[in-house]
Amino acid sequence: MPRVYNWQLGREMSYPYEERHPRWQFAFVFNTNRCIACQTCTMACKATWTFSKGQEAMWWNNVETKPFGGYPAHWDAKLLAMLEAENPGGQVWNAGQPKEREKPFGQFNGKTIFEAAPTHVGPEGPQTVLGYLPTEAEWRTPNVYEDGAAGGKWQAGKFDGSVQLPEHRVWFFYLARICNHCTYPGCLGACPRQAIYKRPEDGIVLIDQERCRGYRKCVEGCPYKKAMYRPTTNTSEKCVGCYPRVEGKDPHLCPDGAPIETRCMSACIGKIRLQGLVEVGPDGKWVVDPASPLYFLIRDRQVALPLYPQFGTEPNGFYIPPRWVNRGYLHQMFGPGVEKAIEQYSCPDRELLAVLQLFRAQRQILFKFRIEKGPKVAEVPVRMPDGTEKVQEIFNDTVIGFNKFGKEVVRVTIEEPIVERPKKHANSI
Ligand code: SF4
Ligand code: SF4
């Protein structure tokens, strides 16, 4: 297999195809600390793309409760167990290695789904991608175990678990998921028909419905289980990244051709989502651009982390990890960057606090931001993950977001302005 570079693993790895990169890459940051599992995103996607016959069990966007929930059921626990069986005790990071821009988390020394596949010999012989086909029953219950917590015991009618940070003894959190439009997609690598492709203009991964024959190898090979089979057409389908919106081609929303965020992002009630397009150089590296909100959060600050980077697909969905959750669990899910991310999020400096205000402030995709400094308005004591206390200084800065064409499209202050309703619109309640 050809060798490709995976920055999230800090090393080269095997992949069925030669390295090739888009000009821009669809990417997003989800802040798990803010998701309320309202499922508005889920329904926005469902009502747009998967409302037809044969798509009943198809949820391109889903929100599951961790650690027990999953759609399809147990998708991550099953694959982690398969990887462990292929490489017992070896799925480890060498996080102590010197950090570099293209190696921010050290090096993953275990096996990815591409590297573990040759030794996993099933009835069909060795596969190109380690994976499995979920059963029909596993696809049937997208939101089972909602609000099911881990840890603690019931004692005399109440939990004995502590609710003190840094870690709650009883915990759960909501994990919103869509296709990660991976740099090295497992679905694409597994398809024997070469029906899956990654668009050079934005890195969105699509399934060519003319070429697909419904072999379901993509369903098996996607570690995140975001390729799904449709029995009425005998083809597989997946999240299309709302590409007409990203292209700026929606005549109602994008009269001037500016890229608009996807339906699930635009609908998010909890303001947990920020979507973007990051620029990729001819060498496959993200172009250094600290004025891009996504670059700032993911590459500059590393406050947003990839989901299960050890699978090896270099997913382009990133998560700000939940502050209160068991650290061992978070390390398994987001890799060795968890401590640094949580420490920064617990007490954000003024620049980070300003960028966090851009989440769901606008429907247009923000390519750049700028901060105008304001006066100090507060000092707040904050309990840090190591148990110490810190004083957070808060400034009433203004963050300004710009679209693809450099036009200002949003302006948010840290202090929410008070707006009084004019008397002529008095509320009658
Ligand atoms: S998340 Fe799955 S379906 Fe989406 S690009 Fe990655 S491997 Fe393919
Ligand atoms: S709309 Fe936002 S807050 Fe609501 S479930 Fe989806 S991601 Fe979470």
Side-chain angles (χ1 to χ4, degrees):
M1 270 201 228
R3 305 287 292 167
V4 298
Y5 191 76
N6 183 323
W7 68 265
Q8 298 174 359
L9 305 184
R11 67 170 171 87
E12 284 192 338
M13 61 166 208
S14 313
Y15 185 66
Y17 296 100
E18 298 285 340
E19 197 164 331
R20 221 195 265 171
H21 298 277
R23 177 81 183 79
W24 293 87
Q25 175 62 55
F26 176 105
F28 58 87
V29 172
F30 289 175
N31 183 353
T32 53
N33 295 273
R34 302 191 68 167
C35 181
I36 53 174
C38 62
Q39 306 284 359
T40 313
C41 49
T42 308
M43 296 317 295
C45 176
K46 188 90 189 144
T48 309
W49 297 108
T50 62
F51 53 81
S52 300
K53 216 171 179 181
Q55 295 179 308
E56 293 83 359
M58 200 180 266
W59 302 89
W60 291 354
N61 181 107
N62 77 291
V63 183
E64 55 203 44
T65 300
K66 287 302 186 197
F68 302 123
Y71 168 74
H74 318 303
W75 63 275
D76 47 355
K78 279 190 150 181
L79 188 57
L80 287 165
M82 288 175 78
L83 283 163
E84 187 61 32
E86 292 310 315
N87 188 23
Q91 295 297 92
V92 291
W93 290 83
N94 183 354
Q97 288 222 339
K99 310 286 185 289
E100 299 160 22
R101 193 168 287 282
E102 297 306 317
K103 200 178 191 160
F105 311 121
Q107 187 172 306
F108 178 62
N109 289 339
K111 288 188 179 178
T112 67
I113 55 170
F114 309 108
E115 293 161 341
T119 51
H120 182 82
V121 185
E124 298 172 55
Q127 305 290 300
T128 39
V129 183
L130 184 77
Y132 73 97
L133 210 50
T135 63
E136 269 188 44
E138 286 170 336
W139 288 112
R140 231 176 265 149
T141 48
N143 206 15
V144 73
Y145 294 117
E146 185 173 40
D147 294 357
K153 293 186 194 81
W154 278 102
Q155 278 184 357
K158 59 180 184 10
F159 274 123
D160 69 340
S162 123
V163 288
Q164 287 270 305
L165 286 172
E167 282 179 42
H168 293 181
R169 274 169 56 202
V170 178
W171 58 271
F172 69 85
F173 69 100
Y174 302 123
L175 187 74
R177 300 201 302 117
I178 63 169
C179 164
N180 295 294
H181 297 281
C182 307
T183 303
Y184 305 114
C187 59
L188 188 156
C191 176
R193 291 275 305 161
Q194 299 191 340
I196 305 186
Y197 60 105
K198 192 166 170 64
R199 305 202 319 169
E201 62 269 45
D202 51 24
I204 288 177
V205 175
L206 296 177
I207 302 176
D208 182 339
Q209 294 293 299
E210 299 290 319
R211 288 196 61 81
C212 178
R213 292 286 179 275
Y215 299 153
R216 284 180 259 189
K217 284 289 168 194
C218 55
V219 183
E220 198 176 319
C222 168
Y224 303 97
K225 296 294 168 242
K226 281 295 172 190
M228 297 159 197
Y229 177 67
R230 180 170 176 179
T232 49
T233 55
N234 189 32
T235 56
S236 293
E237 294 180 3
K238 64 176 288 301
C239 159
V240 295
C242 290
Y243 66 84
R245 292 166 71 100
V246 174
E247 287 172 1
K249 293 222 173 104
D250 185 313
H252 302 294
L253 295 172
C254 335
D256 57 358
I260 302 277
E261 293 195 336
T262 63
R263 289 279 287 126
C264 60
M265 312 278 175
S266 291
C268 176
I269 301 283
K271 297 191 172 191
I272 85 150
R273 296 173 172 230
L274 188 70
Q275 186 199 333
L277 288 162
V278 292
E279 195 173 359
V280 183
D283 55 0
K285 295 178 183 159
W286 289 20
V287 173
V288 176
D289 185 7
S292 143
L294 259 76
Y295 189 93
F296 173 81
L297 292 166
I298 299 163
R299 302 301 297 269
D300 217 20
R301 291 301 189 88
Q302 295 148 27
V303 74
L305 306 170
L307 179 65
Y308 291 119
Q310 66 269 41
F311 291 165
T313 63
E314 208 185 276
N316 290 299
F318 299 85
Y319 292 79
I320 302 180
R323 282 181 74 186
W324 61 91
V325 169
N326 176 284
R327 295 296 187 265
Y329 187 83
L330 293 181
H331 287 158
Q332 176 179 254
M333 183 170 270
F334 300 114
V338 165
E339 251 69 32
K340 184 176 171 189
I342 291 184
E343 193 180 332
Q344 291 184 82
Y345 185 74
S346 300
C347 188
D349 61 29
R350 60 194 294 185
E351 200 179 9
L352 178 55
L353 189 65
V355 174
L356 290 172
Q357 310 311 311
L358 291 173
F359 283 63
R360 293 276 18 84
Q362 236 295 330
R363 275 198 305 199
Q364 295 199 30
I365 292 181
L366 301 177
F367 283 71
K368 301 270 183 203
F369 73 91
R370 198 180 76 227
I371 298 170
E372 283 178 2
K373 291 196 169 170
K376 185 164 151 182
V377 288
E379 284 188 354
V380 183
V382 178
R383 192 182 164 125
M384 296 302 289
D386 63 1
T388 58
E389 210 166 83
K390 211 169 160 181
V391 174
Q392 183 182 10
E393 294 184 300
I394 301 191
F395 298 85
N396 192 21
D397 294 337
T398 302
V399 60
I400 305 161
F402 301 89
N403 74 4
K404 182 180 179 185
F405 306 122
K407 186 175 156 201
E408 177 183 327
V409 288
V410 67
R411 182 174 274 262
V412 192
T413 53
I414 298 293
E415 269 197 317
E416 195 170 355
I418 295 172
V419 181
E420 271 190 46
R421 187 193 296 258
K423 280 210 173 63
K424 65 173 180 176
H425 301 306
N427 195 333
S428 59
I429 296 171

PDB file of all heavy atoms in Angstrom, residues 83-105:
ATOM      1  N   LEU A  83      -9.662  -3.474  16.870  1.00  0.00           N
ATOM      2  CA  LEU A  83      -8.279  -2.989  16.744  1.00  0.00           C
ATOM      3  C   LEU A  83      -7.410  -3.570  17.849  1.00  0.00           C
ATOM      4  O   LEU A  83      -6.262  -3.986  17.614  1.00  0.00           O
ATOM      5  CB  LEU A  83      -8.252  -1.462  16.792  1.00  0.00           C
ATOM      6  CG  LEU A  83      -8.687  -0.756  15.510  1.00  0.00           C
ATOM      7  CD1 LEU A  83      -9.019   0.714  15.762  1.00  0.00           C
ATOM      8  CD2 LEU A  83      -7.594  -0.853  14.434  1.00  0.00           C
ATOM      9  N   GLU A  84      -7.960  -3.618  19.046  1.00  0.00           N
ATOM     10  CA  GLU A  84      -7.218  -4.158  20.189  1.00  0.00           C
ATOM     11  C   GLU A  84      -6.895  -5.641  19.952  1.00  0.00           C
ATOM     12  O   GLU A  84      -5.794  -6.106  20.249  1.00  0.00           O
ATOM     13  CB  GLU A  84      -8.045  -3.964  21.463  1.00  0.00           C
ATOM     14  CG  GLU A  84      -7.355  -4.322  22.762  1.00  0.00           C
ATOM     15  CD  GLU A  84      -6.089  -3.507  23.048  1.00  0.00           C
ATOM     16  OE1 GLU A  84      -6.034  -2.338  22.652  1.00  0.00           O
ATOM     17  OE2 GLU A  84      -5.162  -4.083  23.673  1.00  0.00           O
ATOM     18  N   ALA A  85      -7.866  -6.363  19.371  1.00  0.00           N
ATOM     19  CA  ALA A  85      -7.643  -7.799  19.112  1.00  0.00           C
ATOM     20  C   ALA A  85      -6.530  -8.012  18.087  1.00  0.00           C
ATOM     21  O   ALA A  85      -5.789  -8.989  18.139  1.00  0.00           O
ATOM     22  CB  ALA A  85      -8.950  -8.433  18.611  1.00  0.00           C
ATOM     23  N   GLU A  86      -6.392  -7.082  17.138  1.00  0.00           N
ATOM     24  CA  GLU A  86      -5.337  -7.207  16.118  1.00  0.00           C
ATOM     25  C   GLU A  86      -3.975  -6.777  16.644  1.00  0.00           C
ATOM     26  O   GLU A  86      -2.936  -7.160  16.088  1.00  0.00           O
ATOM     27  CB  GLU A  86      -5.686  -6.364  14.879  1.00  0.00           C
ATOM     28  CG  GLU A  86      -6.876  -6.856  14.098  1.00  0.00           C
ATOM     29  CD  GLU A  86      -6.815  -8.337  13.762  1.00  0.00           C
ATOM     30  OE1 GLU A  86      -5.746  -8.808  13.330  1.00  0.00           O
ATOM     31  OE2 GLU A  86      -7.834  -9.021  13.956  1.00  0.00           O
ATOM     32  N   ASN A  87      -3.983  -5.942  17.687  1.00  0.00           N
ATOM     33  CA  ASN A  87      -2.716  -5.382  18.176  1.00  0.00           C
ATOM     34  C   ASN A  87      -2.766  -5.267  19.695  1.00  0.00           C
ATOM     35  O   ASN A  87      -2.750  -4.165  20.252  1.00  0.00           O
ATOM     36  CB  ASN A  87      -2.512  -3.998  17.520  1.00  0.00           C
ATOM     37  CG  ASN A  87      -1.154  -3.410  17.795  1.00  0.00           C
ATOM     38  OD1 ASN A  87      -0.196  -4.129  18.092  1.00  0.00           O
ATOM     39  ND2 ASN A  87      -1.059  -2.093  17.714  1.00  0.00           N
ATOM     40  N   PRO A  88      -2.833  -6.425  20.402  1.00  0.00           N
ATOM     41  CA  PRO A  88      -3.092  -6.379  21.853  1.00  0.00           C
ATOM     42  C   PRO A  88      -2.058  -5.536  22.604  1.00  0.00           C
ATOM     43  O   PRO A  88      -0.853  -5.756  22.463  1.00  0.00           O
ATOM     44  CB  PRO A  88      -3.028  -7.849  22.282  1.00  0.00           C
ATOM     45  CG  PRO A  88      -3.157  -8.635  21.015  1.00  0.00           C
ATOM     46  CD  PRO A  88      -2.643  -7.776  19.907  1.00  0.00           C
ATOM     47  N   GLY A  89      -2.552  -4.565  23.351  1.00  0.00           N
ATOM     48  CA  GLY A  89      -1.667  -3.719  24.173  1.00  0.00           C
ATOM     49  C   GLY A  89      -0.865  -2.702  23.389  1.00  0.00           C
ATOM     50  O   GLY A  89      -0.109  -1.927  23.970  1.00  0.00           O
ATOM     51  N   GLY A  90      -1.010  -2.714  22.068  1.00  0.00           N
ATOM     52  CA  GLY A  90      -0.134  -1.858  21.248  1.00  0.00           C
ATOM     53  C   GLY A  90      -0.782  -0.578  20.757  1.00  0.00           C
ATOM     54  O   GLY A  90      -0.138   0.211  20.065  1.00  0.00           O
ATOM     55  N   GLN A  91      -2.047  -0.334  21.104  1.00  0.00           N
ATOM     56  CA  GLN A  91      -2.736   0.861  20.590  1.00  0.00           C
ATOM     57  C   GLN A  91      -2.396   2.073  21.456  1.00  0.00           C
ATOM     58  O   GLN A  91      -3.250   2.613  22.156  1.00  0.00           O
ATOM     59  CB  GLN A  91      -4.250   0.607  20.551  1.00  0.00           C
ATOM     60  CG  GLN A  91      -4.682  -0.481  19.579  1.00  0.00           C
ATOM     61  CD  GLN A  91      -4.363  -0.140  18.141  1.00  0.00           C
ATOM     62  OE1 GLN A  91      -3.296  -0.489  17.631  1.00  0.00           O
ATOM     63  NE2 GLN A  91      -5.245   0.556  17.468  1.00  0.00           N
ATOM     64  N   VAL A  92      -1.163   2.502  21.392  1.00  0.00           N
ATOM     65  CA  VAL A  92      -0.697   3.546  22.325  1.00  0.00           C
ATOM     66  C   VAL A  92      -0.055   4.721  21.584  1.00  0.00           C
ATOM     67  O   VAL A  92       0.425   4.587  20.462  1.00  0.00           O
ATOM     68  CB  VAL A  92       0.324   2.967  23.333  1.00  0.00           C
ATOM     69  CG1 VAL A  92      -0.353   2.016  24.303  1.00  0.00           C
ATOM     70  CG2 VAL A  92       1.472   2.279  22.603  1.00  0.00           C
ATOM     71  N   TRP A  93      -0.076   5.860  22.270  1.00  0.00           N
ATOM     72  CA  TRP A  93       0.554   7.077  21.757  1.00  0.00           C
ATOM     73  C   TRP A  93       1.898   7.263  22.428  1.00  0.00           C
ATOM     74  O   TRP A  93       2.047   6.944  23.608  1.00  0.00           O
ATOM     75  CB  TRP A  93      -0.303   8.303  22.096  1.00  0.00           C
ATOM     76  CG  TRP A  93      -1.593   8.389  21.353  1.00  0.00           C
ATOM     77  CD1 TRP A  93      -2.754   7.760  21.687  1.00  0.00           C
ATOM     78  CD2 TRP A  93      -1.865   9.147  20.174  1.00  0.00           C
ATOM     79  NE1 TRP A  93      -3.728   8.075  20.788  1.00  0.00           N
ATOM     80  CE2 TRP A  93      -3.212   8.937  19.850  1.00  0.00           C
ATOM     81  CE3 TRP A  93      -1.099   9.992  19.357  1.00  0.00           C
ATOM     82  CZ2 TRP A  93      -3.826   9.536  18.741  1.00  0.00           C
ATOM     83  CZ3 TRP A  93      -1.708  10.591  18.265  1.00  0.00           C
ATOM     84  CH2 TRP A  93      -3.049  10.358  17.961  1.00  0.00           C
ATOM     85  N   ASN A  94       2.825   7.820  21.689  1.00  0.00           N
ATOM     86  CA  ASN A  94       4.044   8.323  22.307  1.00  0.00           C
ATOM     87  C   ASN A  94       3.894   9.840  22.343  1.00  0.00           C
ATOM     88  O   ASN A  94       4.358  10.548  21.454  1.00  0.00           O
ATOM     89  CB  ASN A  94       5.277   7.898  21.508  1.00  0.00           C
ATOM     90  CG  ASN A  94       6.560   8.358  22.189  1.00  0.00           C
ATOM     91  OD1 ASN A  94       6.512   9.076  23.191  1.00  0.00           O
ATOM     92  ND2 ASN A  94       7.691   7.957  21.661  1.00  0.00           N
ATOM     93  N   ALA A  95       3.167  10.292  23.366  1.00  0.00           N
ATOM     94  CA  ALA A  95       2.825  11.717  23.425  1.00  0.00           C
ATOM     95  C   ALA A  95       4.012  12.553  23.872  1.00  0.00           C
ATOM     96  O   ALA A  95       3.981  13.777  23.784  1.00  0.00           O
ATOM     97  CB  ALA A  95       1.643  11.926  24.365  1.00  0.00           C
ATOM     98  N   GLY A  96       5.073  11.890  24.343  1.00  0.00           N
ATOM     99  CA  GLY A  96       6.231  12.616  24.850  1.00  0.00           C
ATOM    100  C   GLY A  96       7.118  13.158  23.749  1.00  0.00           C
ATOM    101  O   GLY A  96       8.051  13.910  24.004  1.00  0.00           O
ATOM    102  N   GLN A  97       6.851  12.785  22.510  1.00  0.00           N
ATOM    103  CA  GLN A  97       7.708  13.241  21.406  1.00  0.00           C
ATOM    104  C   GLN A  97       7.619  14.751  21.241  1.00  0.00           C
ATOM    105  O   GLN A  97       6.582  15.342  21.542  1.00  0.00           O
ATOM    106  CB  GLN A  97       7.231  12.574  20.125  1.00  0.00           C
ATOM    107  CG  GLN A  97       7.552  11.097  20.073  1.00  0.00           C
ATOM    108  CD  GLN A  97       8.031  10.683  18.713  1.00  0.00           C
ATOM    109  OE1 GLN A  97       7.782  11.360  17.734  1.00  0.00           O
ATOM    110  NE2 GLN A  97       8.715   9.572  18.641  1.00  0.00           N
ATOM    111  N   PRO A  98       8.685  15.397  20.747  1.00  0.00           N
ATOM    112  CA  PRO A  98       8.616  16.849  20.574  1.00  0.00           C
ATOM    113  C   PRO A  98       7.467  17.233  19.652  1.00  0.00           C
ATOM    114  O   PRO A  98       7.237  16.588  18.632  1.00  0.00           O
ATOM    115  CB  PRO A  98       9.972  17.198  19.940  1.00  0.00           C
ATOM    116  CG  PRO A  98      10.699  15.924  19.731  1.00  0.00           C
ATOM    117  CD  PRO A  98       9.942  14.809  20.331  1.00  0.00           C
ATOM    118  N   LYS A  99       6.721  18.274  20.068  1.00  0.00           N
ATOM    119  CA  LYS A  99       5.560  18.695  19.282  1.00  0.00           C
ATOM    120  C   LYS A  99       6.016  19.608  18.143  1.00  0.00           C
ATOM    121  O   LYS A  99       6.848  20.479  18.335  1.00  0.00           O
ATOM    122  CB  LYS A  99       4.556  19.447  20.172  1.00  0.00           C
ATOM    123  CG  LYS A  99       4.192  18.725  21.470  1.00  0.00           C
ATOM    124  CD  LYS A  99       3.269  17.550  21.229  1.00  0.00           C
ATOM    125  CE  LYS A  99       2.805  16.902  22.508  1.00  0.00           C
ATOM    126  NZ  LYS A  99       3.809  16.150  23.243  1.00  0.00           N
ATOM    127  N   GLU A 100       5.463  19.373  16.983  1.00  0.00           N
ATOM    128  CA  GLU A 100       5.731  20.225  15.831  1.00  0.00           C
ATOM    129  C   GLU A 100       4.403  20.538  15.187  1.00  0.00           C
ATOM    130  O   GLU A 100       3.414  19.889  15.488  1.00  0.00           O
ATOM    131  CB  GLU A 100       6.614  19.477  14.805  1.00  0.00           C
ATOM    132  CG  GLU A 100       7.954  19.061  15.319  1.00  0.00           C
ATOM    133  CD  GLU A 100       8.558  17.938  14.466  1.00  0.00           C
ATOM    134  OE1 GLU A 100       8.152  17.796  13.298  1.00  0.00           O
ATOM    135  OE2 GLU A 100       9.397  17.208  15.003  1.00  0.00           O
ATOM    136  N   ARG A 101       4.412  21.498  14.258  1.00  0.00           N
ATOM    137  CA  ARG A 101       3.151  21.883  13.627  1.00  0.00           C
ATOM    138  C   ARG A 101       2.464  20.690  12.965  1.00  0.00           C
ATOM    139  O   ARG A 101       1.268  20.515  13.055  1.00  0.00           O
ATOM    140  CB  ARG A 101       3.399  22.985  12.588  1.00  0.00           C
ATOM    141  CG  ARG A 101       2.117  23.648  12.113  1.00  0.00           C
ATOM    142  CD  ARG A 101       2.385  24.908  11.328  1.00  0.00           C
ATOM    143  NE  ARG A 101       2.821  26.017  12.143  1.00  0.00           N
ATOM    144  CZ  ARG A 101       2.014  26.771  12.887  1.00  0.00           C
ATOM    145  NH1 ARG A 101       0.732  26.529  12.914  1.00  0.00           N
ATOM    146  NH2 ARG A 101       2.492  27.766  13.585  1.00  0.00           N
ATOM    147  N   GLU A 102       3.222  19.826  12.307  1.00  0.00           N
ATOM    148  CA  GLU A 102       2.627  18.674  11.625  1.00  0.00           C
ATOM    149  C   GLU A 102       2.645  17.415  12.502  1.00  0.00           C
ATOM    150  O   GLU A 102       2.453  16.312  12.007  1.00  0.00           O
ATOM    151  CB  GLU A 102       3.342  18.412  10.293  1.00  0.00           C
ATOM    152  CG  GLU A 102       3.222  19.546   9.288  1.00  0.00           C
ATOM    153  CD  GLU A 102       1.773  19.972   9.005  1.00  0.00           C
ATOM    154  OE1 GLU A 102       0.913  19.095   8.857  1.00  0.00           O
ATOM    155  OE2 GLU A 102       1.516  21.184   8.955  1.00  0.00           O
ATOM    156  N   LYS A 103       2.894  17.610  13.790  1.00  0.00           N
ATOM    157  CA  LYS A 103       2.945  16.489  14.732  1.00  0.00           C
ATOM    158  C   LYS A 103       2.510  17.012  16.107  1.00  0.00           C
ATOM    159  O   LYS A 103       3.260  16.937  17.075  1.00  0.00           O
ATOM    160  CB  LYS A 103       4.401  15.996  14.788  1.00  0.00           C
ATOM    161  CG  LYS A 103       4.596  14.615  15.297  1.00  0.00           C
ATOM    162  CD  LYS A 103       6.087  14.293  15.229  1.00  0.00           C
ATOM    163  CE  LYS A 103       6.270  12.831  15.472  1.00  0.00           C
ATOM    164  NZ  LYS A 103       7.479  12.261  15.026  1.00  0.00           N
ATOM    165  N   PRO A 104       1.306  17.595  16.199  1.00  0.00           N
ATOM    166  CA  PRO A 104       0.968  18.327  17.425  1.00  0.00           C
ATOM    167  C   PRO A 104       0.681  17.461  18.636  1.00  0.00           C
ATOM    168  O   PRO A 104       0.720  17.948  19.758  1.00  0.00           O
ATOM    169  CB  PRO A 104      -0.295  19.109  17.020  1.00  0.00           C
ATOM    170  CG  PRO A 104      -0.868  18.359  15.874  1.00  0.00           C
ATOM    171  CD  PRO A 104       0.262  17.704  15.169  1.00  0.00           C
ATOM    172  N   PHE A 105       0.372  16.172  18.425  1.00  0.00           N
ATOM    173  CA  PHE A 105       0.001  15.318  19.566  1.00  0.00           C
ATOM    174  C   PHE A 105       1.042  14.237  19.847  1.00  0.00           C
ATOM    175  O   PHE A 105       0.758  13.247  20.520  1.00  0.00           O
ATOM    176  CB  PHE A 105      -1.351  14.642  19.293  1.00  0.00           C
ATOM    177  CG  PHE A 105      -2.418  15.610  18.834  1.00  0.00           C
ATOM    178  CD1 PHE A 105      -3.043  15.455  17.603  1.00  0.00           C
ATOM    179  CD2 PHE A 105      -2.775  16.682  19.635  1.00  0.00           C
ATOM    180  CE1 PHE A 105      -4.012  16.354  17.175  1.00  0.00           C
ATOM    181  CE2 PHE A 105      -3.743  17.590  19.216  1.00  0.00           C
ATOM    182  CZ  PHE A 105      -4.362  17.427  17.982  1.00  0.00           C
TER     183      PHE A 105
END
